[in-house]
Amino acid sequence: MTGGLFLERWCALPARQRAIAWVFGTGLFTLGIYLLMVRPLQQQTDRLTAQHQQAVARLRQMRVGALPRPPSDAEGVAPTEAAFSPLAFQRDGIRLVRWQPHARGGTLTLSAEWTQIPALFTRLAQAGVEISEFSVEPGESQLRFVARIEDLHEN
């Protein structure tokens, strides 16, 4: 019976008051949904994004720290690290297929035998570049090694 009494009172209100009450009620409902559902999810997403960025920064530091540091020129010893050149990888049966440079490095595509691919990682590290992603795909007679590399010396 209380439902009927509420409906009678609602209908007895002037149209303007009903519209104001409806807008106010809808606003309160929307605010409640935002505070109970959307805002906590947004805060959790922000926390997870910050954790992800910290993990990426730590991983980058660990990668750089894992590479051997060349002696500085101040110590009187010339650095053993050679400057990166895609043509330097074209030897010992490895063929340069494509070099596509970009702002901080480039995409290196080589044709090589399976046994030669592990040594490529060492040679790239000695050249002062970091592999951000790579793939090994079947080629015509050899495997195709595609690596996206970044220069560690540029900021």
Side-chain angles (χ1 to χ4, degrees):
M1 206 117 166
T2 58
L5 183 60
F6 174 77
L7 190 55
E8 280 182 37
R9 286 187 177 181
W10 177 258
C11 290
L13 290 173
R16 183 176 179 161
Q17 287 181 349
R18 279 192 307 233
I20 291 171
W22 181 262
V23 169
F24 183 70
T26 303
L28 281 177
F29 179 75
T30 304
L31 179 64
I33 292 296
Y34 174 77
L35 291 175
L36 292 175
M37 298 178 85
V38 176
R39 190 169 178 226
L41 288 175
Q42 195 174 32
Q43 289 173 341
Q44 183 179 10
T45 302
D46 292 344
R47 279 193 308 270
L48 290 174
T49 301
Q51 287 176 357
H52 173 72
Q53 289 171 348
Q54 289 173 351
V56 167
R58 279 194 308 255
L59 179 61
R60 187 171 297 275
Q61 288 174 347
M62 289 183 344
R63 282 183 180 170
V64 171
L67 294 175
R69 290 184 165 252
S72 67
D73 291 336
E75 295 173 358
V77 180
T80 59
E81 187 175 280
F84 175 77
S85 170
L87 295 174
F89 291 90
Q90 192 159 289
R91 63 178 186 187
D92 302 329
I94 299 173
R95 186 173 57 86
L96 176 65
V97 176
R98 183 174 183 208
W99 167 247
Q100 183 177 6
H102 60 77
R104 290 198 62 220
T107 303
L108 179 67
T109 306
L110 301 170
S111 179
E113 294 290 330
W114 176 252
T115 56
Q116 297 168 324
I117 290 177
L120 288 173
F121 291 97
T122 305
R123 289 175 58 191
L124 284 166
Q126 289 172 347
V129 294
E130 177 182 275
I131 299 174
S132 58
E133 59 184 78
F134 75 94
S135 65
V136 179
E137 304 163 352
E140 293 174 12
S141 61
Q142 294 183 322
L143 296 174
R144 186 164 290 224
F145 175 78
V146 181
R148 184 171 180 97
I149 59 175
E150 295 179 9
D151 190 357
L152 292 176
H153 302 297
E154 290 185 14
N155 291 332

